[in-house]
Amino acid sequence: MSRPLAVLRPEPGNAATARAIEALGRTAIRLPLFRIVPLAWDGPPADAHDALILTSANAVRQAGATLRAYAALPVHAVGAATAAAARAAGLQVVTTGDADGQTLLDAAERAGVRRALLLTARERAVADHRVLAAIRAVYASETIEGADPAPLYGSVALVHSQRAARRLAALAADRGAIAVTAIAPAVADVLGHGWRAVAVADRPGDAATIAAAIALADACD
């Protein structure tokens, strides 16, 4: 029997990834290590900005009614899921990136963006950038205490962020019993050593991470 695939990302992404895995005939273990909660935030004037930068679909989901004030701004979204969430919220997506937030911001700068507003997490991965005129944290990713790592042993764990990599590394007493697939090289770098095996998705994104995890599960059997 092939190794199950363990999904560590918070909801609602956890359920979406698990369903995608199960649709491929594989077993998914749902073990979110974080929960997403909205934050109160003050929205700067929309006319002070020439673009809206979104590096997570969670920013769209958690921003609340204030997000509507930026409906006229062109949106640069980090990936397909974020772009889809933005369009569903009535925003105008002009760019959908296929890498990380830093790469998205570099591309926005080349496209002429100079005064962007970034909506992001309190624990944001993007520190700063020349095109950013303002940054607002609209949600937080809170650690779920007491997570039991036992279901992970014998699995391939999908790691979607550097924070998840650090949390998994802290939880796993027996790393040799867990294979890991990281969404990007920077995430894999945080994992440390001693895992059963480590793979990296060939491009950032859920589908590519699932594909890499399935290939690793088959290789580990």
Side-chain angles (χ1 to χ4, degrees):
M1 180 179 293
S2 180
R3 287 180 171 235
L5 308 186
V7 186
L8 310 182
R9 65 192 306 204
E11 297 291 3
N14 192 288
T17 298
R19 287 194 298 269
I21 290 168
E22 291 162 353
L24 296 172
R26 300 290 181 132
T27 299
I29 298 171
R30 305 182 188 206
L31 187 67
L33 300 182
F34 303 93
R35 64 172 60 88
I36 301 300
V37 297
L39 298 175
W41 63 290
D42 61 310
D47 59 9
H49 303 283
D50 59 2
L52 183 63
I53 306 294
L54 299 171
T55 56
S56 169
N58 286 318
V60 181
R61 298 185 189 109
Q62 303 300 328
T66 305
L67 185 64
R68 290 197 293 268
Y70 306 101
L73 290 179
V75 172
H76 298 257
V78 78
T82 303
R87 291 190 184 98
L91 302 177
Q92 306 301 313
V93 178
V94 297
T95 299
T96 302
D98 60 1
D100 56 18
Q102 184 69 39
T103 303
L104 178 69
L105 287 163
D106 290 343
E109 183 177 29
R110 291 193 296 272
V113 173
R114 295 295 180 267
R115 297 176 282 97
L117 168 63
L118 170 65
L119 302 186
T120 186
R122 182 178 63 196
E123 308 81 4
R124 57 193 170 99
V126 176
D128 204 353
H129 195 281
R130 291 179 298 277
V131 305
L132 294 176
I135 300 172
R136 293 294 187 271
V138 300
Y139 73 94
S141 177
E142 296 185 341
T143 300
I144 296 176
E145 301 296 341
D148 181 7
L152 301 177
Y153 299 131
S155 76
V156 175
L158 282 68
V159 184
H160 284 74
S161 69
Q162 292 180 335
R163 287 191 74 217
R166 293 187 189 97
R167 180 70 173 145
L168 176 62
L171 282 174
D174 183 7
R175 294 186 180 186
I178 305 172
V180 185
T181 298
I183 194 171
V187 174
D189 291 344
V190 176
L191 285 165
H193 304 286
W195 305 98
R196 169 69 175 80
V198 176
V200 179
D202 60 9
R203 61 189 181 281
D206 202 37
T209 305
I210 292 170
I214 289 174
L216 184 59
D218 292 343
C220 286
D221 288 347

